Structures are given as C-alpha cells and as structure tokens.
Amino acid sequence: MAEELTARAAVTSADVARLAGVSRATVSFVLNDTQAHRVSDSTRARVLAAADQLGYVPHAAARSLRAGRSNLVLMPASVSAVGRLVSAWLDDLHSELERHGYTTVLHAGRFPDAVGAARAWAELRPAAVVALDGDGLTAEAAGVLRRAGVRATVAFAARPAEGVYTIAFDHARIGAIAAEHLISRGRTTIGVVMPKERGLDTFARPRLAGAEGVAARSRASVRAVEMAYTRESAAELAARWRESGLDGVFAYNDEYAALLMRALQGEGISVPEDVAVVGCDDLVVAALERPALTTVRLDLPAPARIADIVHELVGTGKAPEMPGVEPILIHRQSS
Amino acid sequence: MAEELTARAAVTSADVARLAGVSRATVSFVLNDTQAHRVSDSTRARVLAAADQLGYVPHAAARSLRAGRSNLVLMPASVSAVGRLVSAWLDDLHSELERHGYTTVLHAGRFPDAVGAARAWAELRPAAVVALDGDGLTAEAAGVLRRAGVRATVAFAARPAEGVYTIAFDHARIGAIAAEHLISRGRTTIGVVMPKERGLDTFARPRLAGAEGVAARSRASVRAVEMAYTRESAAELAARWRESGLDGVFAYNDEYAALLMRALQGEGISVPEDVAVVGCDDLVVAALERPALTTVRLDLPAPARIADIVHELVGTGKAPEMPGVEPILIHRQSS
C-alpha cells in the first residue's frame, strides 16, 4: 500500500478575510498585533475566530515584515561539528534565547562562499544570525544580512569583521597550546590529527596552523595525519605509527584522542611513554580514560550572556564587548 | 568601547522596482522565476542588475508563496538529543536533500503541545517537515502543517498518525530487547537509566516502558534510575549501587553506559560479574570499551532513501512505504 497524503490548497489570509468579512489588511493588523492601526474588539474577535476555524498560520517572514520584527535567531550549523561539549551549551543558549522571546533555527545549508550563505540565511528574515564558526563571515556577507533586515550578526571568530559583533575565538591558539605542551614534555615529532569528517575542516586547519607556528619557533616538527572517526581508520593509523616516528600527537578533540589512544594501545604502543596524546574539549569521559587524557579546555561564554547580547543588539544595535574564548591546557597522564 | 552596528532600513522589492523602473509585480516575477508571466529579456536584466546593486534578497516565504514551492525542509531538533550516531546520519541526510535542491533547517523551539509546535514550524513555510522524534505528531498537528502548505510530513514514530508518512520506530522495542537480553543472562533486578538531560525524556520513557513490559512477563523486576551525564552523577549512582541490589542495567545509550561502567569500576564493582551493562547505538568506541560494551544497534534507513521519499511526497503527495527501524542486540563482554 502506498501512503497518500492529499495536498489541499494552503489557507491564506485572503480566506480568513473572506470568512471574517473584513479586508486582508485588517487580518494582517490583527494577526500580527500591529499597534499602529486601530481595530475594534469585535472585529479583532471575528478575525481571530476565522483564523482559528481555518487553521491559518501567518508567515514568519511576512509577520516580521509587517510588525517590523522577526523573532528568529538563525545559527549556521553543521550538525556533525556540534560535539558533546557544544550540544549541551547550544541547548542552554536556545533556552536563554527563548526567555527573550526568540526561537532558534539551525541552518544546515552548505555554501561555496560567505555572501551565498548570507543570502540563503537572509531569506528566512531572522532577527539575528549567530555563527559559532564565524571565521568565514565577511563584511560583505554582514552587509547582505543587514540589508535584509537582520539586526544582529554575532560570530565567534579569530578576527573581527565590519558589521559583525565578534567574540574572539582563535582555533589556532588551541593547536599552539597543545604543541607547546607536547614540546615542554620533550616531544620533537608531533602529529596533528585532521578529521576526514565533513564540516570539521574549518576548525582543524587553524588548529594545525597554530601547532605549526609553535614548531617553527622550536626544534620540533609538526605533521598533519588524516583520520576518520572509525575503528578502521584509527587502527590503520596505529599500524603505521612506529614507522612514522611521531612521539606526540594532538588528536583534534577528546573523541578522536580516545579512539586513537585505544588503537595505539591495541598495537602495543604505550601512552604516554611512546606517544604523548592531547585531546580537546575536556569532555566528561576525558578524565576517566586510561591513561587519563590531557586536553585543552574551552570555557565558552555563559549562554545567558550571549542571549543578552543578541537581545541588546536586536533592540538597540549596540552591546558591550565580551571577553573572548581562552583555551586552557589540562595536564593529565596521557602526556 | 561598545560595538555599534548601525541598523539601516532593510531593502525591499519596492526599492528594486523603483531603481529598475518597473512594477513591484515584475520584480517578483523575475526574482521568483515565475514562468506564468512574460517579461522581456532586457527588463529581466534591468531587474536583476537593480536587485544586485541594492543587495536585495527575496523572502523564502514570499518566494514559496509566489512560486508555489518552498525549498525548505524543517526538522524539529533538540540538539542534545542528537548523539554521535545521529549527527553523522543527519549530515548525510542534509547532503542528500541538497541533491534534490532542498535546504534543511533544524527548529530548536520547544512547545507545550503538537499543534503549537506545528504552528511555529508552519510559520517558516517549509515544503516538508521531517521529525526524528515523531511520537508527539498528531493528526491535528499534521492538519495545521498541511493547511499552511507543507507538502510532506515525515515522522519516525511508534504508531502512524493521519496525514503523516510514518517510518516505524518504536523506542519501547529497544528497552524490551535490552531487558530480554539481561534476563537471558540470568539477571533479575534490572535498572534502566533515565537521563536527567532535557530533550531525552521522549526517548527514555518508552525505552523504560518496553523493559517494564518484558519484566512483567518474567520473574525479573525493572526500576528506573536517574543519572545526569556528569562524572559526579555517575559516581553518586555507583556509590549507592551495592545497596540497590541491581545486577543488570540498561544505560539508555552507549555514552551513559561507558560513563556508568567506569564509575562502577571505580567503586570496585565488576562488570559483568556484579552488574551486566547494556548500552544503545553501537557507537564507534562501544567495542573498544573494557569490557567491550553490549549494545542495541539501530540501523537507520539510508539518508538517500529518506531524501527520495521527501522529494516524492513534495512532488506527488505519494511515496512507497518504507520498512521501519528494527533494533538488534549486539552481545559483547559487558553482559
């Protein structure tokens, strides 16, 4: 049996107007709660009853256009890049934005350039765009958003762009801190794991560059090693490890670190004796790994604070500056 | 220094019409590629040049209204409920939907009831709604979506609802399979972990109910045990374990299972001798835990297949039925 879902014509505000015996403009005034126009209580009640009877839902974009305000906050999101650390934080941020009356949508589209992305986001007419991975957000893209009525563009990024409220977050610092630590532990040939998974490249590349920058100022060398988050890929990398001569590795994050560590142990390679391993994120299980995992912790700003900033920017176009994200090395037994 | 982002008035199609010297309707015909109206090539070029110069972006909702088609697929999403397993699958689904010309947004709003949720989703005028957690999707909510022009409502759910293309996925089966296995391993007092994290309740409750249903037909008993995904919560639970008398536990998923297993081991409680542990999802690291983790594997349908179904429903209102998700127990050393 094939499922059949009969497509009926969508209900429009014209249908509501007809049933209520009022103009389409009046329907719009009532449903969008526009204060600029006076509508009698009885007319208002008739419109609401008609909308209810027909099951009419106003367009978010149309409503934002008429009321001069959207309640959407759009966050560009590659779902796989949202790890355990960030997912709990994001949930809290969504709750805090809800407290201010906003609804969050995560936009999963991928685009060849920043302006193309901004155009796609702008089509939803959000009040604000909040980008966790804001390094690609250009002044030109911010202009596209602004002209489409987006009132706040907030980004975590290494460098500020014009028209973007930037919270400093330099992924190169993460790689640099990990490399500095490994060098301080006497390691001279350091691998940096580059995940093969899509969407992680934008975070992995600056981490590698940061490690390379530190190595260039020391006698240590840094080399990128590709790895997918699968048992096969980790085992294959571990099988070739001895010939690689690597005595330290920054494994992108705690998940890749834990997986690689187990694969290395499976090959009889000791951590930290043969290879020192450093992860990132200080996930709940990092301290429970054997050996306990050295990691780089990222103290993200309180979600309530970000939500306040978004709300202030939407309302007034201004917000006080915020301190950036400063990574901290947590030294444990794996290094 | 306070950041100031000057809010300029948004560019509208009226601005484009004025600059191009054409009517607003003509702008709409050109920018929305409406085939029903003839516009000369020179007029078309003038409109496109004006839109480009002003940086005008059409509304997604307005465009969908005029062109009779939206390219948005909306997925309700509690980010923290999207685990490692699902995030890779979701990324693939987004790619497959892109292949058909759709863009996916994840809607993070929380709502007291299905109709309220449907109204909020409908405001974005998506072509389709795809709910991973579709147990709450009612026929009434599907009606709200349909009347707002949503052409496909797809849900993973235990039971079909009218107007919803349902892919059978009964979380109670997961709990039942885990409990059956633990009982077959001679366990009689079984704990079922209920995560304290928000958004997981809708999955955890049916899993518990499934385990309880199996226990009711045996001499074993089942008890809910609350646990947050923190080291503290796991340690606290482990410290009280001996007095609880539990000799088996279904730990919601592999992540909670791994965390609990380490906390139990920290208390000198042996797995599986003292307590048999079962997870869910068969994550990459499950087989690498010590002891290797018994788990329930969920073979989700191929993302390409789901994308095809969505596209067929949007285009024709019909699609062939799909087999449901059948959980499979993977027996390893932890039980």
Side-chain angles (χ1 to χ4, degrees):
Chain A
M1 189 199 76
E3 296 235 4
E4 181 152 359
L5 307 174
T6 314
R8 277 190 270 161
V11 176
T12 68
S13 64
D15 300 321
V16 178
R18 208 171 301 121
L19 183 62
V22 301
S23 73
R24 206 161 163 176
T26 302
V27 170
S28 162
F29 298 152
V30 171
L31 295 183
N32 299 304
D33 219 13
T34 314
Q35 301 300 331
H37 300 267
R38 266 204 216 119
V39 178
S40 74
D41 286 352
S42 69
T43 303
R44 181 178 302 275
R46 218 158 63 233
V47 170
L48 291 174
D52 198 50
Q53 187 182 327
L54 295 172
Y56 176 70
V57 182
H59 288 205
R63 188 167 70 170
S64 76
L65 189 71
R66 293 177 198 132
R69 178 67 73 84
S70 147
N71 76 335
L72 274 193
V73 174
L74 184 146
M75 300 187 71
S78 163
V79 174
S80 64
V82 175
R84 258 247 160 241
L85 169 77
V86 179
S87 76
W89 183 86
L90 267 186
D91 258 344
D92 287 345
L93 177 57
H94 297 165
S95 298
E96 295 294 341
L97 286 166
E98 257 171 11
R99 205 167 43 81
H100 286 297
Y102 299 99
T103 293
T104 309
V105 295
L106 298 123
H107 199 291
R110 291 193 199 88
F111 306 94
D113 60 77
V115 168
R119 280 179 182 277
W121 305 337
E123 286 199 358
L124 294 178
R125 291 295 186 272
V129 168
V130 179
L132 291 184
D133 165 26
D135 282 330
L137 245 179
T138 60
E140 198 187 348
V144 168
L145 295 174
R146 194 172 51 242
R147 283 192 299 276
V150 175
R151 299 170 65 91
T153 300
V154 175
F156 289 84
R159 270 161 293 279
E162 197 200 317
V164 178
Y165 179 97
T166 305
I167 301 165
F169 187 4
D170 187 355
H171 286 265
R173 277 293 297 152
I174 299 171
I177 282 177
E180 279 163 6
H181 170 76
L182 286 167
I183 291 168
S184 80
R185 304 298 295 165
R187 309 304 157 129
T188 57
T189 319
I190 296 167
V192 172
V193 168
M194 301 297 282
K196 286 187 187 168
E197 278 69 25
R198 222 179 6 211
L200 299 185
D201 205 45
T202 45
F203 301 113
R205 267 185 293 110
R207 290 180 189 195
L208 173 62
E212 285 171 341
V214 166
R217 297 190 297 275
S218 78
R219 283 180 312 166
S221 68
V222 157
R223 195 188 315 156
V225 287
E226 285 210 330
M227 173 181 155
Y229 191 75
T230 64
R231 287 195 288 271
E232 296 68 30
S233 180
E236 202 182 295
L237 186 56
R240 290 183 284 110
W241 203 270
R242 281 197 178 86
E243 67 201 61
S244 76
L246 296 170
D247 58 7
V249 63
F250 171 48
Y252 180 68
N253 74 13
D254 291 347
E255 291 179 318
Y256 287 81
L259 183 55
L260 177 58
M261 203 153 72
R262 288 169 208 198
L264 290 170
Q265 290 164 339
E267 287 285 326
I269 296 169
S270 296
V271 176
E273 292 77 6
D274 300 330
V275 190
V277 178
V278 177
C280 181
D281 289 350
D282 195 21
L283 293 186
V284 166
V285 288
L288 303 175
E289 293 295 332
R290 291 179 205 144
L293 187 62
T294 295
T295 189
V296 180
R297 189 165 73 201
L298 311 171
D299 285 324
L300 297 171
R305 190 81 194 87
I306 306 275
D308 288 346
I309 295 276
V310 167
H311 191 55
E312 282 177 62
L313 287 171
V314 169
T316 69
K318 279 195 220 182
E321 263 189 90
M322 262 189 91
V325 179
E326 190 51 44
I328 302 156
L329 191 110
I330 311 290
H331 186 195
R332 298 199 183 103
Q333 299 148 15
S334 69
S335 66
Chain B
M1 191 198 76
E3 296 235 6
E4 181 153 358
L5 307 174
T6 313
R8 276 191 272 160
V11 176
T12 68
S13 65
D15 299 322
V16 178
R18 207 172 301 121
L19 183 62
V22 301
S23 73
R24 205 162 164 175
T26 302
V27 170
S28 162
F29 298 150
V30 171
L31 295 183
N32 299 304
D33 220 14
T34 312
Q35 301 301 331
H37 301 267
R38 263 201 222 123
V39 178
S40 73
D41 286 352
S42 69
T43 303
R44 182 178 300 276
R46 218 159 64 235
V47 169
L48 291 174
D52 198 51
Q53 187 182 327
L54 295 171
Y56 175 70
V57 182
H59 287 205
R63 188 168 69 170
S64 77
L65 189 71
R66 292 176 200 133
R69 180 66 72 84
S70 147
N71 75 336
L72 273 193
V73 174
L74 184 145
M75 301 188 70
S78 163
V79 174
S80 63
V82 175
R84 257 248 161 240
L85 169 77
V86 180
S87 77
W89 183 87
L90 267 186
D91 257 345
D92 287 345
L93 177 57
H94 298 165
S95 297
E96 294 294 340
L97 286 166
E98 256 170 13
R99 206 168 41 82
H100 286 297
Y102 299 99
T103 294
T104 309
V105 295
L106 297 122
H107 198 291
R110 291 193 199 89
F111 305 94
D113 60 77
V115 168
R119 280 180 182 278
W121 304 337
E123 285 198 359
L124 294 177
R125 290 295 186 272
V129 169
V130 179
L132 292 184
D133 164 28
D135 282 329
L137 245 178
T138 60
E140 199 188 348
V144 167
L145 295 174
R146 195 172 50 242
R147 283 191 299 276
V150 174
R151 299 170 65 91
T153 301
V154 175
F156 288 84
R159 271 160 293 279
E162 199 200 316
V164 178
Y165 179 97
T166 305
I167 300 164
F169 189 2
D170 187 355
H171 286 265
R173 278 294 296 153
I174 299 171
I177 282 177
E180 278 163 7
H181 171 75
L182 286 167
I183 291 169
S184 79
R185 303 300 295 164
R187 308 304 157 130
T188 58
T189 319
I190 296 167
V192 173
V193 168
M194 303 296 283
K196 286 187 187 168
E197 278 69 26
R198 225 181 2 215
L200 300 185
D201 206 44
T202 45
F203 301 113
R205 267 184 293 109
R207 290 179 189 195
L208 173 62
E212 285 170 341
V214 166
R217 296 190 298 275
S218 79
R219 283 181 311 167
S221 68
V222 157
R223 196 188 315 157
V225 287
E226 286 208 331
M227 173 181 155
Y229 191 75
T230 63
R231 287 196 288 271
E232 295 69 29
S233 180
E236 203 183 295
L237 186 56
R240 290 183 284 110
W241 202 269
R242 282 198 178 85
E243 67 200 62
S244 76
L246 296 170
D247 57 7
V249 62
F250 171 49
Y252 180 69
N253 74 11
D254 291 347
E255 291 180 316
Y256 287 81
L259 183 55
L260 178 58
M261 203 153 71
R262 287 168 209 200
L264 289 169
Q265 290 164 338
E267 287 284 327
I269 296 168
S270 296
V271 177
E273 293 76 5
D274 300 330
V275 190
V277 178
V278 177
C280 181
D281 290 349
D282 195 21
L283 293 186
V284 166
V285 289
L288 303 176
E289 293 295 332
R290 289 179 206 145
L293 188 61
T294 295
T295 189
V296 180
R297 189 165 75 201
L298 310 171
D299 285 323
L300 296 172
R305 190 80 195 88
I306 306 275
D308 288 346
I309 294 276
V310 167
H311 191 55
E312 283 178 63
L313 286 171
V314 168
T316 69
K318 277 196 221 181
E321 263 187 89
M322 261 189 95
V325 179
E326 190 51 43
I328 302 157
L329 191 110
I330 311 291
H331 186 194
R332 296 197 184 104
Q333 299 148 13
S334 70
S335 65

